[in-house]
Amino acid sequence: MFALLAFKDHASDPYGVLARSWNTTTSFCSWTGVSCGRRRQRVTALVLGDFPLRGTIAPHLANLSFISRLMLKNTSLEGPIPDALGRLHRLRFLALAVNHLTGGIPVSLSNLTKLYHLDLSQNSLTGVIPPEFARLTALQNLVLQTNNLTGPIPHSLVNNASMLNALFLGYNDLSGLIPEGVGYLPQLNTLVLESNQLSGPIPPSIFNMSLLVALFLDQNNLSGSIPGIGNQSLGLPQLRGISLSENQLTGPIPSSFATCTRLDTLSLSSNQLTGWVPAELATLPEIAILYLGENYLTGTIPGALSNLTRLVELDLDNNSLHGEIPAELGQLSDLQYLNLGNNRLSGEIPDSIGNASMLNGVELTFNALTGTVPTTVGNLAALGYFNVRRNGLGGGLDFLASLSNCRTLEMLDISENGFDVNLPESMGNLSAHLLTFAAHTNEIKGKIPSGLANLSSLIALVLFNNRMTGAIPPAITRMENLQMLDLAYNRIDDTLPQQLDGLRSLSELHLDGNMLSGSIPDCIGNMTQLRSLTLPFNLLSSTIPSSIWHLTDVLVL
C-alpha cells in the first residue's frame, strides 16, 4: 500500500483518477488499475493507461515484489525510468510507452529474466540499447521504437533472444550493421528497423525466415543488392509486408518476390534499383500496395499488372520507363492511387482509365503523353487529385466538363501542355471542393470565364503564361478563400478591378506581363493578407496609391 501511495504522490493526477479510488479506507486490491493474487493480498498487476497522470515514476514501485504486469502507457509521465525497477524479478510484462520519459534505458532491466514483453516506445529515451539485454532470454516482444536511441543493435541481444517474436527498433538514430543473427531468430515474425542510420548490406539470412510476416527496413542507409536475384530463392512463405524504401540499394528487383504469395505490400521506392519491372510480380494474388518509384528502372510497364485484382496503390514514379500506358490498367477495379509521373511514357492516355472507377489520385506528370485527355475521366466519381502537368497533351478541353461528375475533386493541374482553346464557362460546374486549378504555360485563349467564381473553395488559380484576353471578371473578386491568383503573361487588356479587396484571403497576386491600363486601385491597401504583389510590364499609369504602404507584411512588391 505504501508503495502505491508513493506512486500516487509522484503523480499530479489532474483528473483525479487516483484520488477517487486510491485511499486507505478501502483495500488497495480494489483500487483502480490494481490487481492482487487470489490467495494473498499481494499486488500482481498495475495497469493504468490512456489518461494523464503526469509526474514521474516513483522508484517505490520496486517494493511490489510480486508484481508480474506493470503497464503505464500514455499517461504523460516524464523523467527517467527508475533503476530500482530491475528488482522486480517476477515481472513478465512492462509497458511504459507513449510518455515523456528521458534518460537512458536502465541496464538493471536486464535482471528481469522472466520478462516476455518490454515496450518503452514513443518516449524521449537516449543512449544505447544495453548489450546486457542478452540475459532476457524469455523476451518475446521488444518495442523500443520512436525514441532517440543511438549506437548499434547489440549482437549479443539477437544471438540470445531465441524466443523473440517481434522486434521494433524503428524511428531512432541507431547506426552500424544489421546483425547477421537477426536472420536466425527462429520465432521472429515482425522486424521493424525503419528510420534509423543503419548501413551496409541486408543480411541474406533475413530472406530465409520462414515465419516472418512483416519486414520494414526503410529510411536507412542500407546498400548492396536485394537477396533473391537470379536463381536464388526467397524463403519467406508467410511474408505479407516488406518495405526497403529510402535506402541506397542497387541491382535489379528480384523476380523471386513472386514466391511470396501472401504479400500485400511491396515498397522498394527511393533506391538505386535498375533493370525492369518484373512481370512475375503480376502473379502475386494478394498484393494491394506496389511502390517502385524513384529508382532507375527501364523498359515498359507490364500490361500483366492488370492481373493484380486487389491492387489499391501503384507507384512507378520517377524512373526511366518508356512506351505507352497499358490500357489493361483500366481493369484494376480496386485501384485508388496511380502514379506514373516523371518517366518517358508516350502515346495517349487510354480511354480505359475511366473503368478504374475507384481511382482517387492520378499522377501522370513529366512524361511525353500526347493527344487529348479522354472524357472517360469523368467516370471516376471518387477522383480527388488529377495531375497531367508537363506533357504534350493538346486539343480540346471537353474533359473539363466531364470532370464536373467528380464531386470530390480537390486538385486539377493541366499545366505545361499544348491546350489551345478557350476555358469553357462550364468550369464553374466543377467540384465545390476544388482547392487548386492550374493551367499555366499552355496556349489557352479567350476570356477568363466568370463561372470560375462559383468555385467558392478555390485557394489557388494559376493561369499564367497563356494567351487569355479581355478583363478580369468582377465575379472573381468575390472569391473570399482565394490565396493565390496568378494571371501573369497573358493579354488581359482592361483596367484593374476596383473591388480587388474582395479577395480577403489573397496572399499572392501576379498580374505582370499583361496590357492592364489605368491606375492601381486604392482599395489594394485593404488586402492585409498580401505577401506578394507583382504588376510590372503593363500599361499602368498615375501615381502609386499611398494605401499600398499599409501592406506591412508584404515581402515582394
Side-chain angles (χ1 to χ4, degrees):
M1 182 178 67
F2 288 123
L4 292 171
L5 290 175
F7 173 78
K8 176 186 173 185
D9 290 342
H10 279 70
S12 62
D13 192 20
Y15 291 105
V17 175
L18 304 183
R20 286 191 295 271
S21 171
W22 288 33
N23 58 73
T24 55
T25 61
T26 59
S27 168
F28 58 79
C29 290
S30 65
W31 292 358
T32 298
V34 178
S35 299
C36 291
R38 293 181 180 179
R39 291 185 297 172
R40 293 184 290 177
Q41 282 198 322
R42 297 285 194 177
V43 175
T44 57
L46 176 59
V47 179
L48 296 167
D50 299 321
F51 51 80
L53 291 175
R54 299 198 175 98
T56 59
I57 301 174
H60 305 76
L61 289 181
N63 294 327
L64 302 174
S65 56
F66 280 77
I67 196 169
S68 64
R69 186 179 183 86
L70 177 58
M71 198 276 274
L72 302 173
K73 185 178 180 180
N74 192 22
T75 50
S76 300
L77 292 168
E78 56 189 27
I81 300 171
D83 285 324
L85 296 186
R87 301 205 306 265
L88 298 173
H89 295 293
R90 290 181 172 86
L91 201 62
R92 304 186 70 226
F93 186 101
L94 177 58
L96 305 176
V98 198
N99 283 294
H100 308 294
L101 302 175
T102 54
I105 300 174
V107 175
S108 63
L109 297 185
S110 63
N111 297 326
L112 307 177
T113 55
K114 293 184 178 180
L115 204 63
Y116 73 84
H117 182 94
L118 176 59
D119 186 355
L120 306 178
S121 62
Q122 297 187 58
N123 281 288
S124 298
L125 299 173
T126 55
V128 301
I129 301 171
E132 292 83 357
F133 274 12
R135 297 204 290 265
L136 302 177
T137 54
L139 205 59
Q140 295 178 24
N141 302 303
L142 178 59
V143 187
L144 304 178
Q145 68 182 24
T146 317
N147 279 288
N148 299 310
L149 300 174
T150 56
I153 301 171
H155 287 255
S156 58
L157 168 64
V158 297
N159 290 340
N160 290 277
S162 59
M163 303 297 292
L164 206 59
N165 298 141
L167 180 59
F168 290 88
L169 304 179
Y171 294 95
N172 280 289
D173 201 19
L174 301 174
S175 57
L177 304 176
I178 300 175
E180 179 75 25
V182 170
Y184 298 108
L185 292 170
Q187 305 296 324
L188 198 69
N189 60 54
T190 304
L191 178 60
V192 179
L193 306 178
E194 62 189 339
S195 195
N196 279 289
Q197 299 294 326
L198 300 170
S199 57
I202 303 172
S205 57
I206 289 178
F207 289 85
N208 283 296
M209 301 182 74
S210 60
L211 299 182
L212 199 63
V213 174
L215 175 62
F216 292 91
L217 307 179
D218 45 294
Q219 299 179 61
N220 279 287
N221 298 313
L222 301 172
S223 57
S225 60
I226 302 171
I229 297 171
N231 295 325
Q232 296 175 322
S233 61
L234 295 178
L236 298 167
Q238 305 299 322
L239 193 67
R240 297 193 64 84
I242 178 171
S243 180
L244 309 179
S245 298
E246 297 184 55
N247 280 288
Q248 299 167 19
L249 300 173
T250 55
I253 298 171
S255 58
S256 51
F257 272 123
T259 63
C260 305
T261 55
R262 296 192 175 190
L263 201 61
D264 62 29
T265 299
L266 175 59
S267 180
L268 306 176
S269 55
S270 301
N271 278 289
Q272 300 168 24
L273 300 173
T274 54
W276 51 88
V277 178
E280 292 84 351
L281 297 181
T283 64
L284 290 168
E286 305 289 332
I287 199 77
I289 308 294
L290 182 58
Y291 288 163
L292 305 179
E294 297 188 55
N295 281 290
Y296 300 119
L297 301 177
T298 55
T300 59
I301 300 172
L305 293 181
S306 61
N307 296 329
L308 303 177
T309 56
R310 298 192 180 185
L311 198 63
V312 175
E313 299 185 15
L314 175 61
D315 185 352
L316 302 176
D317 171 68
N318 203 5
N319 281 288
S320 296
L321 301 172
H322 64 268
E324 298 186 355
I325 299 172
E328 299 95 318
L329 294 186
Q331 300 170 23
L332 297 173
S333 58
D334 288 342
L335 194 66
Q336 296 179 22
Y337 175 69
L338 176 65
N339 188 350
L340 306 179
N342 295 276
N343 279 287
R344 301 174 184 174
L345 301 175
S346 56
E348 299 188 1
I349 301 172
D351 288 346
S352 61
I353 194 172
N355 297 329
S357 57
M358 297 299 291
L359 269 174
N360 174 265
V362 177
E363 178 85 54
L364 304 176
T365 58
F366 292 84
N367 278 291
L369 300 172
T370 54
T372 60
V373 177
T375 57
T376 56
V377 295
N379 299 336
L380 305 176
L383 193 65
Y385 178 98
F386 188 72
N387 194 344
V388 293
R389 179 182 175 185
R390 193 175 289 187
N391 278 282
L393 300 168
L397 293 171
D398 296 343
F399 68 94
L400 292 177
S402 67
L403 285 174
S404 62
N405 298 323
C406 307
R407 303 316 299 168
T408 59
L409 189 64
E410 293 186 352
M411 189 275 188
L412 176 59
D413 192 341
I414 61 171
S415 304
E416 298 183 67
N417 280 285
F419 298 111
D420 60 354
V421 295
N422 295 11
L423 282 179
E425 191 66 32
S426 61
M427 287 286 301
N429 298 329
L430 289 172
S431 164
H433 300 285
L434 193 67
L435 301 176
T436 299
F437 175 61
H440 68 82
T441 319
N442 278 286
E443 299 291 329
I444 295 173
K445 52 193 177 183
K447 296 182 178 181
I448 300 168
S450 58
L452 284 171
N454 296 337
L455 306 176
S456 57
S457 297
L458 205 65
I459 290 175
L461 178 57
V462 186
L463 299 174
F464 71 85
N465 202 16
N466 279 288
R467 294 189 293 163
M468 306 190 78
T469 57
I472 299 172
I476 296 287
T477 65
R478 296 193 291 271
M479 300 178 72
E480 294 186 356
N481 291 312
L482 200 64
Q483 297 177 20
M484 174 188 282
L485 178 59
D486 194 339
L487 305 176
Y489 296 97
N490 278 281
R491 299 175 183 179
I492 300 168
D493 56 2
D494 200 12
T495 58
L496 283 168
Q498 294 299 312
Q499 302 84 20
L500 269 176
D501 57 346
L503 298 168
R504 298 181 182 180
S505 301
L506 204 68
S507 62
E508 293 190 40
L509 177 59
H510 303 297
L511 300 174
D512 35 316
N514 282 286
M515 293 182 283
L516 293 166
S517 59
S519 61
I520 301 171
D522 193 62
C523 69
I524 207 163
N526 299 328
M527 302 172 70
T528 55
Q529 302 299 313
L530 211 57
R531 302 290 181 272
S532 180
L533 172 64
T534 56
L535 300 175
F537 304 105
N538 278 289
L539 303 173
L540 298 170
S541 58
S542 82
T543 60
I544 299 172
S546 60
S547 68
I548 210 166
W549 312 118
H550 299 163
L551 303 176
T552 54
D553 291 331
V554 77
L555 300 174
V556 177
L557 179 60

